[in-house]
Amino acid sequence: MALLRLKGITKSFGAIHALNGVDIEIHPGEIVGLMGDNGAGKSTLVKIIAGNFPPTTGEIVLSDETVHFNQPLDARAKGIEIVYQDLALCDNLTAAENLFLGREIRKGIWPFRVMNYDAMFKKAGELFEELQSETRPRDIVRRMSGGQRQAVAIARTRLSRAKLVLMDEPTAAISVRQVEQVLALIRRLKQQGISVVLISHRMPDVFAVSDRVIVMRRGAKVADKEIKHTTPEEVTGLITGAIRAA
Amino acid sequence: MPPEKAEAANVSIQDVVGIQQTTFIQRLFASQPFWITMALFAIIAFMSFYEPAYATERNFYNITRNFAFIGIMAMGMLAVIITGGIDLSVGSIMGFVSIVAGVILEAHYPWWVALPAGMLAGAALGAINGYIIAYIGLPPFVVTLGMLAAGRSFAQILSGNRMITDFGPDKAVVLEIGGGQILGIANPVWVLILLTFIFGFVFNYTSWGRRLFAIGGNEQAAQLTGVPVKRMKFQVYVLSACMAALSSILILGWQGSAINALGIGYELRVIASTVIGGADLMGGAGTAYGAFIGAALIEVIRNGLLMAGVDANWQGAFVGLFIVLAVYLERIRGRSRA
Ligand SMILES: Nc1ncnc2c1ncn2[C@@H]1O[C@H](COP(=O)(O)OP(=O)(O)OP(=O)(O)O)[C@@H](O)[C@H]1O
Ligand SMILES: [Mg+2]
């Protein structure tokens, strides 16, 4: 049984047709690489899955149930976590505050229910350690490096027990060592039965962890192949359009 | 890979080494309210030395009471400014509230009807602001500019353009609330002190307060991570209006009359207080203590010029200088977002 099924998803922004009829299935514990040129519609697709905006037409089926997400919280409640391409961080807050934004740990009884900073700093520290990131929970995001920021965005997906984690270019800004950490995390998620959609322009990353690769071009899916039945050369050809479809 | 991301990867190691967790002293010296407090004490010390009549109990009583009214409004304004908004209508709301409360008192209703009714009237105008800004999505500057005009007009219509001095049988209570004192400190000052602690607590220790900063820092990110951005934006405009209403009710008791011209131009002093105290008009930064001290500084300058016999028309020039200077100092300390 598929964890997630997208049927005929289209999305138009006014005159721009970002997606025209995409069908995708994702199974439990599966890692799917999602590739495509700039503007192919990858981010738009995962944002629809994460409840950022509804598809213009098409159906989203999650564990055999048709879902309609009105806001990101709805998707999160169903076990879908996302790392946004632009990371969605508030520069003026600390790493820990960003991590817990919208689901702060609090203590006490209303009206004296206050932020439990100790618990949040501690948990944030543990998550950054898991990612082997040099991110300190108390640092202000404005003064953090690209990799540290990325760690904060990725750590967010670890706060709840997700079924599906969508990662939109999680390795774009980070060092070789940290890329390895993110890939290791993705493998660990798989072991826990969590599915991952990995958007990346880095061919080696996708081939290192994915079970399957989906290639998009101009808003359409042009290939959906088991990783062992394809090659980086073929995928490159599919992305550029040198190979029309596979 | 986009070029700016490649660059971010290159600087990461340097950045990691460069960032240290800041100590309390470092944070203190980096904070604008600290330097404004120093400036405030410097002016007071200078004036006390220069003008014997300055450092008297009477004068300090007046200074603190005068800035309390502005400071109370600055607390609500700060909540708005932290989210990246602005409320230009506080002065007009103040005028409207004083007339509503005044008219009801004049009709011989008790104080506990008239004053809450005034508060409610203010909150209603704030709710109109908040609804249009949060749910219809018009810019705060425009919406509250509209209310600046409309609120004043409501006050003029309701008052029939006259001054209300007959507060009915409960006049003494109303005068005592706004004009009275406890332990030698004017009641409005106590209210401001209490509010400064409450707002400081809310801004720093509650998730509602921290989320205000998140909205001001990156509204879209706040929305995406599940912060109820619209509802909270609505709430801050109601809160700001409530603070203006509270201030109005206190002034009512101090002045013993309700006039529809009350609060004209106050919005600028209130906004200036928050900015001098370190609030960022782009949103995402500001402290309750800063707003308090900013309001104090403006009044100390005004009072100081008066006592020194300087033409009162210079007041605006000095306040303006301080606003620009405060923001400039902030910029050169490198804490700015730019
Ligand atoms: N909110 C929006 N409003 C209008 N057009 C949009 C919006 N979001 C995306 N688009 C358009 O939809 C198309 C697909 O964009 P999308 O961000 O999904 O591409 P992508 O595959 O993620 O590209 P990249 O690799 O550069 O991140 C683009 O033409 C883009 O300009
Ligand atoms: Mg994208």
Side-chain angles (χ1 to χ4, degrees):
Chain A
M1 186 187 84
L3 170 68
L4 177 79
R5 220 162 348 149
L6 303 180
K7 297 181 188 168
I9 298 288
T10 68
K11 181 71 191 179
S12 311
F13 297 105
I16 302 168
H17 298 288
L19 296 173
N20 355 305
V22 177
D23 299 288
I24 284 179
E25 271 192 21
I26 292 161
H27 299 279
E30 191 183 29
I31 303 176
V32 177
L34 184 55
M35 303 197 76
D37 205 351
N38 294 124
K42 308 179 295 295
S43 296
T44 305
L45 188 68
V46 290
K47 280 180 177 171
I48 287 173
I49 301 172
N52 269 30
F53 36 62
T56 305
T57 62
E59 195 185 353
I60 305 171
V61 182
L62 190 67
S63 312
D64 276 343
E65 178 200 354
T66 301
V67 288
H68 300 278
F69 300 140
N70 294 314
Q71 49 172 341
L73 276 185
D74 299 345
R76 198 155 80 192
K78 296 274 186 188
I80 298 175
E81 292 282 342
I82 180 166
V83 181
Y84 291 104
Q85 187 168 4
D86 66 5
L87 306 181
L89 299 175
C90 298
D91 272 356
N92 55 332
L93 301 182
T94 62
E97 281 179 321
N98 266 286
L99 177 50
F100 285 96
L101 190 57
R103 40 186 160 176
E104 300 83 357
I105 302 178
R106 292 178 294 181
K107 60 182 178 189
I109 329 159
W110 197 90
F112 299 105
R113 199 159 55 184
V114 296
M115 301 273 279
N116 189 345
Y117 284 113
D118 288 341
M120 285 189 278
F121 285 142
K122 184 164 172 288
K123 178 77 180 165
E126 285 166 15
L127 290 174
F128 296 145
E129 199 166 320
E130 181 190 359
L131 291 167
Q132 300 203 2
S133 163
E134 303 286 338
T135 310
R136 281 170 301 265
R138 284 175 223 278
D139 280 350
I140 304 288
V141 165
R142 181 181 298 131
R143 288 180 239 144
M144 289 179 13
S145 73
Q148 291 173 323
R149 293 162 150 265
Q150 212 131 24
V152 176
I154 293 173
R156 271 179 182 162
T157 66
R158 306 291 292 142
L159 282 180
S160 64
R161 185 140 171 75
K163 285 186 210 151
L164 173 63
V165 175
L166 309 165
M167 295 193 176
D168 198 348
E169 302 196 30
T171 54
I174 58 183
S175 67
V176 179
R177 186 177 64 84
Q178 281 173 332
V179 168
E180 277 312 313
Q181 291 312 323
V182 172
L183 297 181
L185 170 71
I186 292 173
R187 289 194 190 95
R188 278 204 301 283
L189 294 176
K190 178 187 170 71
Q191 275 165 17
Q192 295 166 18
I194 300 169
S195 310
V196 179
V197 173
L198 171 65
I199 297 178
S200 178
H201 291 292
R202 296 162 49 105
M203 202 65 74
D205 297 356
V206 172
F207 275 77
V209 293
S210 304
D211 300 306
R212 195 147 55 90
V213 59
I214 292 173
V215 181
M216 293 183 61
R217 195 165 63 232
R218 296 198 185 145
K221 185 172 92 170
V222 292
D224 188 342
K225 302 193 82 170
E226 295 289 321
I227 208 85
K228 50 184 180 283
H229 295 144
T230 187
T231 60
E233 291 71 31
E234 186 187 26
V235 172
T236 305
L238 286 161
I239 292 170
T240 58
I243 307 172
R244 297 204 62 80
Chain B
M1 195 191 306
E4 76 273 10
K5 287 187 177 167
E7 211 176 280
N10 292 336
V11 297
S12 76
I13 291 167
Q14 203 176 319
D15 279 5
V16 169
V17 179
I19 298 168
Q20 299 292 332
Q21 287 186 22
T22 49
T23 66
F24 175 72
I25 295 293
Q26 281 171 324
R27 276 211 305 275
L28 190 67
F29 285 144
S31 97
Q32 184 161 328
F34 172 78
W35 294 109
I36 296 298
T37 309
M38 292 295 125
L40 187 74
F41 283 127
I43 295 170
I44 293 173
F46 176 79
M47 281 305 297
S48 305
F49 177 74
Y50 177 83
E51 174 64 58
Y54 184 82
T56 60
E57 218 178 298
R58 190 71 231 158
N59 194 35
F60 283 135
Y61 183 88
N62 282 335
I63 291 175
T64 51
R65 188 203 47 217
N66 289 348
F67 82 73
F69 300 117
I70 297 294
I72 289 167
M73 289 200 276
M75 295 300 147
M77 181 68 74
L78 185 58
V80 169
I81 286 177
I82 287 172
T83 66
I86 193 84
D87 188 351
L88 298 176
S89 67
V90 288
S92 293
I93 289 177
M94 198 174 198
F96 178 63
V97 168
S98 88
I99 294 300
V100 169
V103 164
I104 296 176
L105 284 169
E106 196 181 30
H108 286 208
Y109 282 96
W111 66 272
W112 49 265
V113 172
L115 302 190
M119 290 292 297
L120 226 66
L125 296 192
I128 295 171
N129 280 338
Y131 183 81
I132 299 174
I133 291 163
Y135 295 103
I136 299 179
L138 297 188
F141 194 94
V142 175
V143 174
T144 59
L145 187 64
M147 188 56 82
L148 171 103
R152 187 66 61 195
S153 153
F154 296 153
Q156 285 159 347
I157 293 165
L158 193 61
S159 69
N161 247 338
R162 66 208 164 83
M163 181 191 260
I164 300 168
T165 48
D166 172 16
F167 286 172
D170 277 358
K171 178 156 190 164
V173 181
V174 176
L175 296 192
E176 180 56 31
I177 290 173
Q181 51 168 290
I182 300 170
L183 302 173
I185 291 175
N187 287 350
V189 180
W190 284 116
V191 173
L192 173 61
I193 291 170
L194 186 70
L195 285 174
T196 304
F197 278 106
I198 293 174
F199 275 81
F201 178 83
V202 167
F203 288 145
N204 287 300
Y205 295 105
T206 69
S207 55
W208 189 81
R210 297 314 296 167
R211 287 170 173 189
L212 295 179
F213 288 87
I215 293 171
N218 185 344
E219 186 173 327
Q220 219 196 339
Q223 173 78 49
L224 292 176
T225 48
V227 172
V229 173
K230 288 183 180 168
R231 193 171 75 213
M232 290 187 61
K233 281 174 126 181
F234 174 78
Q235 289 166 341
V236 289
Y237 289 94
V238 175
L239 183 63
S240 174
C242 285
M243 290 303 118
L246 179 60
S247 194
S248 171
I249 281 168
L250 292 169
I251 287 195
L252 198 68
W254 168 53
Q255 293 189 333
S257 62
I259 49 168
N260 57 37
L262 176 65
I264 288 180
Y266 276 25
E267 57 281 342
L268 294 183
R269 283 165 70 183
V270 171
I271 294 166
S273 301
T274 64
V275 171
I276 289 175
D280 185 342
L281 287 178
M282 303 297 286
T287 63
Y289 174 71
F292 176 99
I293 213 72
L297 185 78
I298 291 176
E299 179 57 24
V300 164
I301 292 172
R302 194 192 70 86
N303 175 276
L305 291 173
L306 212 70
M307 301 282 289
V310 179
D311 183 349
N313 292 327
W314 280 98
Q315 182 197 336
F318 278 89
V319 170
L321 181 74
F322 259 91
I323 293 173
V324 175
L325 208 64
V327 173
Y328 178 68
L329 286 177
E330 180 88 345
R331 181 73 34 106
I332 57 176
R333 277 202 308 272
R335 271 185 58 216
S336 104
R337 57 180 59 231

